[in-house]
Amino acid sequence: MEEIIRITGLNKYFELHNQNKRIRGCQDINLTLHSGGFVGITGRSGSGKSTILKCIYRTYLPKKGIIWYQSQIYGEIDLAQATERQVIHLRKQEIGYVSQFLHVMPRTTAREIVEQAVLDVGYDIGYARTEAVNILRHFELDEGLWDTYPNTFSGGEKLRLNIASAMVKKPRLLLLDEPTASLDHESKKNVKVLLEKLKNEGTSMIGIFHDLEFMEGVCDREFAMETGDFVI
Amino acid sequence: MHQQERPLLTIKNLNKQFGCGCSHCRDTQGHNLEDNYCPVCGTVYACRNVSLKVYPAEILGVVGESGSGKSTLLRCLYFDQDSTSGEGYIHGYNEGRTNIFTETSQQKNYIRNHLLGMVYQNPYLGLRMNFSSVGNIAEKLIGAGNRKVDFMAARAQELLAAVNIPTYRMKEAPEKFSGGMQQRVQIAKALSNNPPLLLLDEVTTGLDLSVQANVLDLIKVIQRDLKIGMIVVSHDLAVIRMLTDRTIVMLNGRIIEHGLTDQVLEDPQHAYTQQLVYSLL
Protein backbone atom coordinates (compact mmCIF):
# COMPACT_ATOMS: atom_id res chain seq x y z
CA MET A 1 0.00 0.00 0.00
CA GLU A 2 1.28 3.49 -0.83
CA GLU A 3 2.60 5.83 1.84
CA ILE A 4 0.55 8.92 2.57
CA ILE A 5 2.76 10.43 5.29
CA ARG A 6 6.46 9.95 5.90
CA ILE A 7 8.02 11.97 8.71
CA THR A 8 11.81 12.06 8.84
CA GLY A 9 13.90 13.58 11.62
CA LEU A 10 11.15 15.88 12.91
CA ASN A 11 12.32 18.26 15.60
CA LYS A 12 10.34 20.89 17.41
CA TYR A 13 11.34 23.12 20.29
CA PHE A 14 9.91 26.38 21.52
CA GLU A 15 12.21 29.35 21.99
CA LEU A 16 10.77 31.70 24.57
CA HIS A 17 12.75 34.83 23.83
CA ASN A 18 11.48 36.90 26.71
CA GLN A 19 12.29 34.23 29.31
CA ASN A 20 15.46 33.16 27.54
CA LYS A 21 14.34 29.54 27.60
CA ARG A 22 14.08 26.70 25.14
CA ILE A 23 11.35 24.10 25.70
CA ARG A 24 11.58 20.72 24.04
CA GLY A 25 8.58 19.58 21.98
CA CYS A 26 9.65 16.47 20.11
CA GLN A 27 12.89 15.29 18.55
CA ASP A 28 14.07 12.92 15.85
CA ILE A 29 10.61 11.64 15.06
CA ASN A 30 10.39 9.17 12.19
CA LEU A 31 6.99 7.82 11.28
CA THR A 32 5.31 6.34 8.25
CA LEU A 33 1.60 6.05 7.59
CA HIS A 34 0.17 4.05 4.74
CA SER A 35 -2.94 5.04 2.86
CA GLY A 36 -5.98 3.88 4.80
CA GLY A 37 -3.83 3.06 7.82
CA PHE A 38 -4.23 4.10 11.45
CA VAL A 39 -1.25 4.88 13.67
CA GLY A 40 -1.82 5.39 17.38
CA ILE A 41 0.54 7.40 19.58
CA THR A 42 0.59 6.87 23.34
CA GLY A 43 2.61 8.43 26.12
CA ARG A 44 2.40 10.54 29.23
CA SER A 45 1.13 14.13 29.20
CA GLY A 46 3.93 16.42 28.08
CA SER A 47 5.74 13.70 26.16
CA GLY A 48 5.23 15.53 22.87
CA LYS A 49 2.38 13.57 21.29
CA SER A 50 0.26 16.59 20.41
CA THR A 51 3.35 18.44 19.18
CA ILE A 52 3.74 15.90 16.38
CA LEU A 53 0.11 16.31 15.28
CA LYS A 54 0.32 20.10 15.48
CA CYS A 55 3.50 20.08 13.37
CA ILE A 56 1.70 18.00 10.72
CA TYR A 57 -1.29 20.39 10.83
CA ARG A 58 1.18 23.32 10.92
CA THR A 59 -0.25 24.93 14.01
CA TYR A 60 3.38 24.56 15.11
CA LEU A 61 6.30 25.39 12.84
CA PRO A 62 8.72 22.44 12.79
CA LYS A 63 12.35 23.40 13.45
CA LYS A 64 13.90 20.53 11.51
CA GLY A 65 12.84 17.54 9.51
CA ILE A 66 10.58 16.61 6.64
CA ILE A 67 6.85 15.88 6.76
CA TRP A 68 6.28 14.36 3.37
CA TYR A 69 2.60 14.12 2.45
CA GLN A 70 0.99 12.65 -0.64
CA SER A 71 -1.64 15.25 -1.42
CA GLN A 72 -4.45 14.98 -3.88
CA ILE A 73 -4.29 18.64 -4.88
CA TYR A 74 -0.53 19.28 -4.74
CA GLY A 75 1.00 15.83 -5.25
CA GLU A 76 4.04 15.21 -3.02
CA ILE A 77 4.46 18.08 -0.59
CA ASP A 78 6.62 18.75 2.49
CA LEU A 79 4.16 20.07 5.06
CA ALA A 80 7.04 21.52 7.09
CA GLN A 81 7.84 23.84 4.16
CA ALA A 82 4.42 24.28 2.53
CA THR A 83 3.22 27.85 2.00
CA GLU A 84 0.49 29.29 4.21
CA ARG A 85 -1.99 29.20 1.33
CA GLN A 86 -1.18 25.59 0.53
CA VAL A 87 -1.80 24.64 4.15
CA ILE A 88 -5.11 26.53 4.16
CA HIS A 89 -6.28 24.61 1.08
CA LEU A 90 -5.11 21.30 2.51
CA ARG A 91 -6.94 21.97 5.78
CA LYS A 92 -10.14 22.78 3.95
CA GLN A 93 -10.03 19.89 1.54
CA GLU A 94 -7.83 17.08 2.77
CA ILE A 95 -6.59 17.23 6.35
CA GLY A 96 -8.88 17.20 9.37
CA TYR A 97 -7.91 17.85 12.97
CA VAL A 98 -9.93 16.95 16.02
CA SER A 99 -8.85 18.14 19.44
CA GLN A 100 -10.51 17.96 22.81
CA PHE A 101 -11.60 21.54 22.43
CA LEU A 102 -14.16 23.07 20.14
CA HIS A 103 -12.92 26.24 18.43
CA VAL A 104 -15.79 27.71 16.48
CA MET A 105 -17.13 31.03 15.43
CA PRO A 106 -19.36 32.27 18.25
CA ARG A 107 -23.06 32.56 17.53
CA THR A 108 -22.90 29.84 14.91
CA THR A 109 -25.31 26.95 15.35
CA ALA A 110 -24.23 23.32 15.51
CA ARG A 111 -25.90 22.64 12.17
CA GLU A 112 -24.12 25.61 10.50
CA ILE A 113 -20.75 24.47 11.85
CA VAL A 114 -21.09 21.02 10.30
CA GLU A 115 -22.56 22.38 7.05
CA GLN A 116 -19.70 24.86 6.71
CA ALA A 117 -17.18 22.04 7.04
CA VAL A 118 -18.77 20.30 4.04
CA LEU A 119 -19.01 23.56 2.06
CA ASP A 120 -15.28 24.19 2.64
CA VAL A 121 -14.48 21.02 0.73
CA GLY A 122 -16.39 22.45 -2.24
CA TYR A 123 -19.74 20.62 -2.08
CA ASP A 124 -23.02 22.46 -2.64
CA ILE A 125 -25.39 23.55 0.12
CA GLY A 126 -27.92 20.79 -0.59
CA TYR A 127 -25.33 18.06 -0.06
CA ALA A 128 -23.93 19.89 2.97
CA ARG A 129 -27.38 19.99 4.58
CA THR A 130 -27.97 16.29 4.06
CA GLU A 131 -24.54 15.27 5.31
CA ALA A 132 -24.86 17.53 8.35
CA VAL A 133 -28.14 15.91 9.36
CA ASN A 134 -26.73 12.41 8.85
CA ILE A 135 -23.68 12.93 10.99
CA LEU A 136 -25.46 14.86 13.76
CA ARG A 137 -27.91 12.00 13.93
CA HIS A 138 -25.12 9.43 13.96
CA PHE A 139 -23.54 11.09 16.96
CA GLU A 140 -26.93 11.22 18.64
CA LEU A 141 -26.74 14.93 19.24
CA ASP A 142 -30.19 15.89 20.49
CA GLU A 143 -32.16 17.34 17.58
CA GLY A 144 -33.26 20.23 19.79
CA LEU A 145 -29.62 21.35 19.93
CA TRP A 146 -28.94 21.45 16.21
CA ASP A 147 -30.06 25.04 15.77
CA THR A 148 -28.55 26.37 18.98
CA TYR A 149 -25.10 27.73 19.77
CA PRO A 150 -22.56 25.23 21.13
CA ASN A 151 -21.46 27.46 24.00
CA THR A 152 -24.49 26.15 25.89
CA PHE A 153 -23.53 22.49 25.24
CA SER A 154 -22.09 20.08 27.78
CA GLY A 155 -18.46 18.99 27.37
CA GLY A 156 -19.50 15.69 25.77
CA GLU A 157 -21.91 17.38 23.36
CA LYS A 158 -19.24 19.86 22.29
CA LEU A 159 -16.82 17.06 21.69
CA ARG A 160 -19.28 15.07 19.62
CA LEU A 161 -19.96 18.15 17.50
CA ASN A 162 -16.22 18.74 17.15
CA ILE A 163 -15.64 15.19 15.91
CA ALA A 164 -18.69 15.34 13.67
CA SER A 165 -17.50 18.53 11.92
CA ALA A 166 -14.06 17.01 11.28
CA MET A 167 -15.37 13.64 10.11
CA VAL A 168 -18.17 14.94 7.91
CA LYS A 169 -15.57 16.16 5.39
CA LYS A 170 -14.32 12.59 5.00
CA PRO A 171 -10.78 13.92 5.05
CA ARG A 172 -7.93 12.11 3.35
CA LEU A 173 -5.86 12.45 6.51
CA LEU A 174 -7.43 12.78 9.95
CA LEU A 175 -5.42 13.85 13.01
CA LEU A 176 -7.05 12.93 16.30
CA ASP A 177 -5.72 14.64 19.41
CA GLU A 178 -7.30 12.75 22.32
CA PRO A 179 -10.80 13.23 20.95
CA THR A 180 -12.46 10.74 23.27
CA ALA A 181 -10.89 12.00 26.51
CA SER A 182 -14.12 13.13 28.14
CA LEU A 183 -16.72 11.05 26.31
CA ASP A 184 -19.02 8.52 27.92
CA HIS A 185 -18.89 4.88 26.90
CA GLU A 186 -21.77 5.12 24.40
CA SER A 187 -20.31 8.17 22.64
CA LYS A 188 -16.91 6.49 22.45
CA LYS A 189 -18.54 3.54 20.75
CA ASN A 190 -20.10 5.88 18.19
CA VAL A 191 -16.74 7.50 17.51
CA LYS A 192 -15.17 4.11 17.08
CA VAL A 193 -17.86 2.99 14.61
CA LEU A 194 -17.33 6.11 12.53
CA LEU A 195 -13.55 5.84 12.66
CA GLU A 196 -13.78 2.29 11.39
CA LYS A 197 -16.16 3.42 8.64
CA LEU A 198 -13.84 6.25 7.61
CA LYS A 199 -10.91 3.86 7.65
CA ASN A 200 -12.76 1.46 5.40
CA GLU A 201 -13.51 4.35 3.05
CA GLY A 202 -9.78 5.08 2.81
CA THR A 203 -9.16 7.86 5.35
CA SER A 204 -5.69 7.61 6.88
CA MET A 205 -5.42 8.52 10.55
CA ILE A 206 -2.93 9.38 13.25
CA GLY A 207 -4.46 9.44 16.70
CA ILE A 208 -3.53 10.10 20.29
CA PHE A 209 -5.58 8.20 22.84
CA HIS A 210 -5.09 7.67 26.55
CA ASP A 211 -7.66 4.92 26.43
CA LEU A 212 -5.65 1.89 25.30
CA GLU A 213 -8.77 -0.27 25.17
CA PHE A 214 -10.26 2.15 22.64
CA MET A 215 -7.22 1.85 20.42
CA GLU A 216 -7.52 -1.92 20.21
CA GLY A 217 -8.96 -3.02 16.93
CA VAL A 218 -8.76 0.48 15.42
CA CYS A 219 -5.01 1.05 15.24
CA ASP A 220 -2.75 -0.87 12.89
CA ARG A 221 0.38 0.29 14.65
CA GLU A 222 1.15 1.93 17.94
CA PHE A 223 4.03 4.17 19.02
CA ALA A 224 4.82 4.98 22.62
CA MET A 225 6.46 8.31 23.37
CA GLU A 226 8.76 9.27 26.18
CA THR A 227 9.73 12.93 26.59
CA GLY A 228 9.94 13.83 22.97
CA ASP A 229 11.14 10.54 21.43
CA PHE A 230 9.48 7.35 20.28
CA VAL A 231 10.09 4.20 22.29
CA ILE A 232 9.19 1.22 20.16
CA MET B 1 -3.64 19.21 -9.58
CA HIS B 2 -4.13 22.62 -7.99
CA GLN B 3 -3.86 25.69 -10.23
CA GLN B 4 -1.51 28.50 -9.26
CA GLU B 5 -3.54 31.04 -7.28
CA ARG B 6 -3.61 34.64 -8.37
CA PRO B 7 -3.59 37.15 -5.54
CA LEU B 8 -6.26 39.80 -5.46
CA LEU B 9 -3.82 42.34 -4.06
CA THR B 10 -0.03 42.35 -4.06
CA ILE B 11 1.94 44.95 -2.13
CA LYS B 12 5.71 45.17 -2.53
CA ASN B 13 8.00 47.22 -0.31
CA LEU B 14 5.46 49.85 0.64
CA ASN B 15 7.02 52.77 2.51
CA LYS B 16 5.32 55.71 4.15
CA GLN B 17 7.22 58.35 6.02
CA PHE B 18 6.05 61.56 7.63
CA GLY B 19 8.91 64.03 7.22
CA CYS B 20 11.76 64.38 4.74
CA GLY B 21 14.38 62.35 6.58
CA CYS B 22 17.97 63.45 7.10
CA SER B 23 21.46 62.05 6.75
CA HIS B 24 21.11 60.53 10.21
CA CYS B 25 18.08 58.39 9.37
CA ARG B 26 18.03 58.00 5.58
CA ASP B 27 19.36 54.76 4.07
CA THR B 28 20.37 53.31 7.43
CA GLN B 29 17.88 50.41 7.45
CA GLY B 30 16.36 51.97 10.54
CA HIS B 31 19.46 51.48 12.69
CA ASN B 32 19.54 55.11 13.82
CA LEU B 33 15.84 55.32 14.62
CA GLU B 34 14.19 55.24 18.01
CA ASP B 35 11.49 52.68 17.22
CA ASN B 36 10.38 54.28 13.95
CA TYR B 37 11.22 57.89 14.80
CA CYS B 38 14.32 59.86 13.86
CA PRO B 39 15.47 61.79 16.94
CA VAL B 40 17.42 64.26 14.77
CA CYS B 41 14.89 65.42 12.16
CA GLY B 42 11.66 64.10 13.68
CA THR B 43 10.71 61.98 10.66
CA VAL B 44 8.33 59.12 11.43
CA TYR B 45 8.77 55.98 9.33
CA ALA B 46 5.19 54.69 9.59
CA CYS B 47 5.45 51.81 7.08
CA ARG B 48 8.77 50.26 6.17
CA ASN B 49 9.13 47.82 3.30
CA VAL B 50 5.70 46.29 3.85
CA SER B 51 4.99 43.43 1.44
CA LEU B 52 1.88 41.28 1.49
CA LYS B 53 -0.64 39.43 -0.64
CA VAL B 54 -4.39 39.01 -0.23
CA TYR B 55 -6.20 36.24 -2.10
CA PRO B 56 -9.83 36.21 -3.25
CA ALA B 57 -12.33 35.50 -0.45
CA GLU B 58 -9.55 35.54 2.12
CA ILE B 59 -9.43 37.58 5.31
CA LEU B 60 -5.93 38.70 6.21
CA GLY B 61 -5.42 39.89 9.78
CA VAL B 62 -3.04 42.69 10.73
CA VAL B 63 -2.12 42.99 14.41
CA GLY B 64 0.27 45.19 16.32
CA GLU B 65 0.35 47.82 19.00
CA SER B 66 -0.76 51.43 18.53
CA GLY B 67 1.71 53.24 16.29
CA SER B 68 2.92 50.07 14.59
CA GLY B 69 1.71 51.30 11.18
CA LYS B 70 -1.43 49.18 10.77
CA SER B 71 -3.84 52.03 10.05
CA THR B 72 -1.30 53.91 7.93
CA LEU B 73 -0.98 50.81 5.79
CA LEU B 74 -4.74 50.75 5.15
CA ARG B 75 -4.87 54.47 4.49
CA CYS B 76 -2.12 54.15 1.91
CA LEU B 77 -4.02 51.30 0.27
CA TYR B 78 -7.20 53.36 0.15
CA PHE B 79 -5.21 56.41 -1.08
CA ASP B 80 -6.22 58.48 1.94
CA GLN B 81 -2.49 59.07 2.23
CA ASP B 82 0.15 59.02 -0.49
CA SER B 83 2.72 56.31 -0.05
CA THR B 84 6.36 57.41 -0.13
CA SER B 85 7.44 54.48 -2.29
CA GLY B 86 6.44 50.93 -3.13
CA GLU B 87 4.34 48.96 -5.53
CA GLY B 88 0.75 47.76 -5.41
CA TYR B 89 -1.18 45.62 -7.86
CA ILE B 90 -4.89 44.77 -7.86
CA HIS B 91 -6.00 41.85 -9.98
CA GLY B 92 -9.15 43.67 -11.14
CA TYR B 93 -7.21 46.72 -12.36
CA ASN B 94 -5.40 46.36 -15.69
CA GLU B 95 -5.12 42.64 -14.88
CA GLY B 96 -2.74 43.41 -12.05
CA ARG B 97 -0.04 44.86 -14.30
CA THR B 98 -0.12 48.52 -13.21
CA ASN B 99 1.36 49.91 -10.02
CA ILE B 100 -1.64 51.58 -8.37
CA PHE B 101 0.49 53.86 -6.22
CA THR B 102 1.93 55.69 -9.23
CA GLU B 103 -1.42 56.21 -10.97
CA THR B 104 -3.01 59.64 -11.43
CA SER B 105 -5.47 60.98 -8.85
CA GLN B 106 -8.26 60.32 -11.31
CA GLN B 107 -7.28 56.65 -11.68
CA LYS B 108 -6.85 56.32 -7.92
CA ASN B 109 -10.39 57.64 -7.51
CA TYR B 110 -11.57 55.05 -10.02
CA ILE B 111 -9.86 52.24 -8.08
CA ARG B 112 -11.22 53.52 -4.79
CA ASN B 113 -14.76 53.84 -6.11
CA HIS B 114 -14.90 50.60 -8.07
CA LEU B 115 -12.53 48.12 -6.45
CA LEU B 116 -12.18 49.06 -2.79
CA GLY B 117 -14.36 49.52 0.25
CA MET B 118 -13.14 51.00 3.53
CA VAL B 119 -14.59 50.90 7.03
CA TYR B 120 -12.90 53.19 9.52
CA GLN B 121 -12.70 52.83 13.28
CA ASN B 122 -14.18 56.29 13.53
CA PRO B 123 -17.47 56.42 11.56
CA TYR B 124 -17.03 60.19 11.17
CA LEU B 125 -14.25 59.44 8.66
CA GLY B 126 -16.38 57.14 6.54
CA LEU B 127 -19.82 58.71 6.70
CA ARG B 128 -21.40 62.06 6.13
CA MET B 129 -23.11 62.29 9.45
CA ASN B 130 -25.77 64.74 8.37
CA PHE B 131 -26.76 62.93 5.16
CA SER B 132 -29.39 60.21 5.33
CA SER B 133 -28.11 56.62 5.44
CA VAL B 134 -29.58 56.07 1.99
CA GLY B 135 -27.83 59.26 0.84
CA ASN B 136 -24.48 58.01 2.17
CA ILE B 137 -24.75 54.90 0.07
CA ALA B 138 -25.92 56.85 -2.96
CA GLU B 139 -22.82 59.04 -2.62
CA LYS B 140 -20.56 56.00 -3.02
CA LEU B 141 -22.65 54.70 -5.92
CA ILE B 142 -22.50 58.07 -7.69
CA GLY B 143 -18.72 57.98 -7.25
CA ALA B 144 -18.78 54.61 -9.04
CA GLY B 145 -20.63 56.15 -11.99
CA ASN B 146 -24.25 55.37 -11.17
CA ARG B 147 -26.84 57.98 -12.08
CA LYS B 148 -30.16 56.13 -11.82
CA VAL B 149 -31.99 57.27 -8.73
CA ASP B 150 -34.34 54.28 -8.59
CA PHE B 151 -31.46 51.83 -8.77
CA MET B 152 -29.50 53.67 -6.08
CA ALA B 153 -32.49 53.87 -3.73
CA ALA B 154 -33.21 50.16 -4.17
CA ARG B 155 -29.54 49.20 -3.69
CA ALA B 156 -29.28 51.35 -0.56
CA GLN B 157 -32.39 49.77 0.93
CA GLU B 158 -31.18 46.28 0.11
CA LEU B 159 -27.78 46.90 1.75
CA LEU B 160 -29.16 48.65 4.81
CA ALA B 161 -31.61 45.79 5.31
CA ALA B 162 -28.70 43.33 4.98
CA VAL B 163 -26.85 45.10 7.82
CA ASN B 164 -30.03 45.17 9.93
CA ILE B 165 -30.90 48.86 9.78
CA PRO B 166 -34.69 48.97 10.19
CA THR B 167 -36.55 50.23 7.13
CA TYR B 168 -38.21 53.07 9.06
CA ARG B 169 -34.80 54.49 10.01
CA MET B 170 -33.06 54.28 6.64
CA LYS B 171 -33.72 57.89 5.79
CA GLU B 172 -32.31 59.13 9.08
CA ALA B 173 -28.84 60.64 9.32
CA PRO B 174 -26.17 58.46 11.00
CA GLU B 175 -25.51 61.19 13.57
CA LYS B 176 -28.72 59.99 15.26
CA PHE B 177 -27.52 56.35 15.35
CA SER B 178 -25.63 54.37 17.98
CA GLY B 179 -21.96 53.46 17.37
CA GLY B 180 -22.84 49.94 16.26
CA MET B 181 -25.47 51.19 13.81
CA GLN B 182 -23.03 53.73 12.40
CA GLN B 183 -20.50 50.96 11.79
CA ARG B 184 -23.13 48.88 10.04
CA VAL B 185 -24.07 51.82 7.78
CA GLN B 186 -20.36 52.23 7.01
CA ILE B 187 -20.14 48.56 6.07
CA ALA B 188 -23.22 48.88 3.84
CA LYS B 189 -21.68 51.93 2.17
CA ALA B 190 -18.36 50.14 1.66
CA LEU B 191 -20.13 47.18 0.06
CA SER B 192 -22.35 49.23 -2.23
CA ASN B 193 -20.06 49.06 -5.28
CA ASN B 194 -19.45 45.29 -4.87
CA PRO B 195 -15.73 45.75 -4.22
CA PRO B 196 -13.51 42.67 -4.47
CA LEU B 197 -11.45 44.04 -1.56
CA LEU B 198 -12.68 45.46 1.73
CA LEU B 199 -10.42 47.25 4.21
CA LEU B 200 -11.53 47.21 7.84
CA ASP B 201 -9.70 49.36 10.36
CA GLU B 202 -10.41 48.47 14.00
CA VAL B 203 -14.12 48.31 13.24
CA THR B 204 -15.13 46.82 16.58
CA THR B 205 -12.92 48.93 18.83
CA GLY B 206 -14.95 50.96 21.27
CA LEU B 207 -18.18 49.05 20.72
CA ASP B 208 -19.79 47.15 23.56
CA LEU B 209 -19.63 43.36 23.42
CA SER B 210 -23.04 42.54 21.98
CA VAL B 211 -22.75 45.25 19.31
CA GLN B 212 -19.24 44.03 18.55
CA ALA B 213 -20.65 40.52 18.09
CA ASN B 214 -23.22 41.77 15.55
CA VAL B 215 -20.57 43.55 13.52
CA LEU B 216 -18.27 40.49 13.56
CA ASP B 217 -21.12 38.21 12.49
CA LEU B 218 -21.88 40.58 9.65
CA ILE B 219 -18.25 40.55 8.46
CA LYS B 220 -18.18 36.76 8.50
CA VAL B 221 -21.45 36.53 6.57
CA ILE B 222 -20.15 39.00 3.96
CA GLN B 223 -17.01 36.93 3.50
CA ARG B 224 -18.92 33.67 3.29
CA ASP B 225 -21.71 34.84 0.95
CA LEU B 226 -20.02 37.49 -1.19
CA LYS B 227 -16.52 35.93 -1.29
CA ILE B 228 -14.90 39.31 -0.77
CA GLY B 229 -11.23 39.53 0.17
CA MET B 230 -10.56 41.59 3.29
CA ILE B 231 -7.78 43.09 5.34
CA VAL B 232 -8.83 43.32 8.98
CA VAL B 233 -6.71 45.54 11.20
CA SER B 234 -7.21 44.98 14.90
CA HIS B 235 -5.28 44.93 18.11
CA ASP B 236 -7.82 42.46 19.49
CA LEU B 237 -6.42 38.96 19.05
CA ALA B 238 -9.83 37.39 19.70
CA VAL B 239 -11.21 39.22 16.66
CA ILE B 240 -8.23 38.10 14.57
CA ARG B 241 -8.60 34.48 15.71
CA MET B 242 -12.29 34.50 14.91
CA LEU B 243 -12.14 36.06 11.46
CA THR B 244 -8.85 35.35 9.76
CA ASP B 245 -6.92 32.47 8.20
CA ARG B 246 -3.59 34.31 7.94
CA THR B 247 -2.11 37.07 10.04
CA ILE B 248 0.75 39.53 9.83
CA VAL B 249 2.25 41.18 12.90
CA MET B 250 3.56 44.73 12.66
CA LEU B 251 5.97 46.56 14.92
CA ASN B 252 7.47 50.01 14.33
CA GLY B 253 6.25 50.08 10.74
CA ARG B 254 7.63 46.68 9.74
CA ILE B 255 6.10 43.24 9.33
CA ILE B 256 8.00 41.20 11.91
CA GLU B 257 6.07 37.96 11.56
CA HIS B 258 3.45 36.36 9.35
CA GLY B 259 1.78 32.98 9.34
CA LEU B 260 -1.38 30.97 9.67
CA THR B 261 -3.44 32.65 12.37
CA ASP B 262 -3.53 29.62 14.68
CA GLN B 263 0.24 29.22 14.26
CA VAL B 264 0.95 32.88 15.04
CA LEU B 265 -1.22 32.64 18.16
CA GLU B 266 -0.06 29.21 19.39
CA ASP B 267 3.55 29.15 18.22
CA PRO B 268 4.65 32.79 17.87
CA GLN B 269 8.25 33.10 16.70
CA HIS B 270 9.20 36.73 17.30
CA ALA B 271 9.86 38.05 20.81
CA TYR B 272 7.32 40.83 20.34
CA THR B 273 4.60 38.47 19.10
CA GLN B 274 5.28 36.18 22.04
CA GLN B 275 4.89 39.12 24.41
CA LEU B 276 1.68 40.19 22.66
CA VAL B 277 0.15 36.71 22.66
CA TYR B 278 1.17 35.76 26.20
CA SER B 279 -0.11 39.04 27.62
CA LEU B 280 -3.49 38.95 25.99
CA LEU B 281 -4.54 35.30 25.96
Side-chain angles (χ1 to χ4, degrees), chain A residues 129-154:
Chain A
R129 283 187 184 138
T130 313
E131 286 299 290
V133 167
N134 289 343
I135 201 143
L136 289 170
R137 215 166 258 156
H138 178 88
F139 278 105
E140 294 171 357
L141 198 70
D142 191 316
E143 223 168 309
L145 296 174
W146 293 4
D147 295 309
T148 60
Y149 305 143
N151 57 340
T152 56
F153 290 11
S154 71

Side-chain angles (χ1 to χ4, degrees), chain B residues 117-265:
Chain B
M118 173 81 161
V119 182
Y120 298 88
Q121 177 183 353
N122 181 353
Y124 277 78
L125 294 174
L127 296 174
R128 290 188 187 272
M129 285 296 173
N130 52 353
F131 279 26
S132 72
S133 302
V134 171
N136 266 283
I137 291 171
E139 186 198 20
K140 179 89 178 173
L141 289 169
I142 291 167
N146 289 285
R147 293 292 179 270
K148 291 183 180 162
V149 176
D150 290 352
F151 166 78
M152 288 191 283
R155 177 79 178 138
Q157 283 185 12
E158 174 198 341
L159 285 162
L160 289 168
V163 298
N164 296 321
I165 302 293
T167 315
Y168 56 89
R169 301 201 66 182
M170 287 180 185
K171 289 189 178 158
E172 285 182 31
E175 65 188 355
K176 293 168 74 181
F177 289 172
S178 67
M181 284 174 81
Q182 288 173 348
Q183 284 307 52
R184 285 185 275 136
V185 176
Q186 260 209 101
I187 292 173
K189 182 175 182 178
L191 288 174
S192 58
N193 54 346
N194 286 320
L197 184 64
L198 196 56
L199 310 170
L200 302 159
D201 188 7
E202 302 272 13
V203 288
T204 55
T205 305
L207 300 177
D208 69 57
L209 277 179
S210 62
V211 180
Q212 202 179 92
N214 285 334
V215 174
L216 292 175
D217 287 352
L218 179 62
I219 294 168
K220 200 68 190 170
V221 168
I222 290 166
Q223 190 246 356
R224 192 188 64 202
D225 296 349
L226 304 180
K227 310 280 182 221
I228 291 176
M230 298 187 212
I231 301 181
V232 173
V233 163
S234 181
H235 62 258
D236 186 340
L237 294 184
V239 168
I240 293 295
R241 183 192 283 274
M242 200 181 296
L243 292 179
T244 68
D245 286 327
R246 293 192 303 129
T247 295
I248 61 176
V249 185
M250 290 188 72
L251 179 67
N252 297 330
R254 289 187 195 278
I255 294 179
I256 52 153
E257 182 163 354
H258 63 89
L260 296 158
T261 299
D262 59 331
Q263 179 261 302
V264 170
L265 297 180

Side-chain angles (χ1 to χ4, degrees), chain A residues 12 15 17 73 84-85, chain B residues 2 5 258 267 269 274:
Chain A
K12 174 64 190 171
E15 268 179 287
H17 299 288
I73 49 177
E84 292 156 20
R85 289 294 297 173
Chain B
H2 203 263
E5 273 191 300
H258 63 89
D267 186 20
Q269 304 294 303
Q274 290 183 355

